[in-house]
């Protein structure tokens, strides 16, 4: 158990719908990352938040958005869903050392999204 | 251009033998971190080992060691004394620093099969 929790574990929805995925980082971790893992695209970095602020942006579609709340949990919102959005969505968290080095990212169990 | 390259889609190794999984990377950022993750068939992402770009010594974590050759831009994972439970997908990843926008990039992965 990495200490990162994600809900829900599975989500089945229809095209055109909107869903929200939730992530709670490990205790004390200020950074949260979102990833999408699909068979054709592999593991793609979407976005990172650090202490409530967007820190880095990857291949995140405009239909997707995320935020990190004051209690450090994060939500990934996916709207106007398409069949191709079906994937495993991971959240990860990490701590930044006082020297600013990049520590390892600990992954949650993932949310499997199926768009029908 | 591919920033993380894992050239071995699949590898076989005999139980109790050592195996090396290859990873090369490309970045112009002087500050970066390299990671290896294991993804068993159950789907979770398990952190294995981390190497910072300024680290002088190769990282080791139990049976895992990272053969870091900075000039060649390679970060190969060595698993000693392979076990049946090591059968999984292995991902190499890099997190760039400020120059790279703090993004994390994963390779396509290598599927390792450990034979009894």
């Amino acid at each position: 158990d990495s200490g990162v929790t994600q809900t829900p574990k599975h989500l089945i929805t229809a095209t055109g719908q909107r869903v929200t995925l939730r992530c709670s980082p490990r205790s004390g971790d200020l950074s949260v990352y979102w990833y999408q893992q699909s068979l054709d695209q592999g593991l793609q970095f979407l976005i990172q938040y650090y202490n409530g602020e967007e820190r880095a942006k990857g291949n995140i579609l405009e239909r997707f958005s995320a935020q990190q709340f004051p209690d450090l949990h994060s939500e990934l919102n996916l709207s106007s869903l398409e069949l191709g959005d079906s994937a495993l969505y991971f959240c990860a968290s990490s701590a930044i050392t006082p020297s600013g080095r990049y520590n390892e990212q600990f992954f949650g169990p993932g949310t499997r999204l199926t768009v029908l | 251009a591919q920033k993380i390259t894992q050239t071995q889609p699949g590898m076989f190794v005999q139980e109790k033998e050592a195996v090396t999984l290859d990873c090369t990377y490309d970045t112009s950022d002087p500050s970066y971190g390299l990671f290896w993750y294991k993804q068993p068939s159950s789907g979770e992402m398990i952190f294995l080992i981390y190497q910072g770009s300024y680290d002088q010594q190769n990282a080791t974590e139990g049976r895992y060691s990272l053969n870091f050759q900075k000039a060649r831009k390679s970060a190969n994972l060595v698993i000693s004394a392979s076990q049946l439970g090591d059968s999984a997908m292995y991902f190499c990843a890099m997190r760039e620093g400020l120059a790279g926008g703090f993004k994390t990039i994963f390779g396509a992965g290598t599927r390792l099969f450990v034979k009894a």
Side-chain angles (χ1 to χ4, degrees), chain A residues 4-79:
Chain A
V4 179
T5 60
Q6 288 187 250
T7 56
K9 288 192 76 172
H10 301 277
L11 198 48
I12 301 174
T13 188
T15 54
Q17 295 297 305
R18 172 190 167 97
V19 297
T20 297
L21 313 184
R22 184 187 167 102
C23 167
S24 292
R26 291 187 321 158
S27 177
D29 284 358
L30 299 181
S31 277
V32 168
Y33 310 76
W34 285 98
Y35 294 89
Q36 178 195 59
Q37 186 177 33
S38 60
L39 284 174
D40 56 343
Q41 297 278 351
L43 200 61
Q44 297 282 321
F45 168 68
L46 297 178
I47 198 164
Q48 180 208 350
Y49 280 83
Y50 175 75
N51 204 18
E53 301 285 328
E54 183 182 304
R55 181 74 179 262
K57 210 165 187 176
N59 302 323
I60 188 165
L61 299 172
E62 284 194 13
R63 299 183 286 108
F64 296 0
S65 65
Q67 55 183 324
Q68 186 179 28
F69 295 87
D71 67 353
L72 301 178
H73 90 272
S74 178
E75 293 180 355
L76 178 67
N77 299 295
L78 315 175
S79 61

Side-chain angles (χ1 to χ4, degrees), chain A residues 92-108:
Chain A
S93 75
S94 73
I96 302 292
T97 64
S99 64
R101 283 186 53 180
Y102 314 114
N103 272 354
E104 56 268 29
Q105 297 174 27
F106 292 90
F107 280 69

Side-chain angles (χ1 to χ4, degrees), chain A residues 1-9 88-91 106-112, chain B residues 39 42-45:
Chain A
D1 186 351
S2 68
V4 179
T5 60
Q6 288 187 250
T7 56
K9 288 192 76 172
L88 187 56
Y89 290 84
F90 284 110
C91 168
F106 292 90
F107 280 69
T111 293
R112 184 164 294 282
Chain B
Q39 187 176 38
S42 52
E44 73 264 37
M45 293 286 288

Side-chain angles (χ1 to χ4, degrees), chain B residues 34-46:
Chain B
L34 297 158
F35 307 82
W36 277 91
Y37 287 86
K38 172 185 177 181
Q39 187 176 38
S41 55
S42 52
E44 73 264 37
M45 293 286 288
I46 302 167

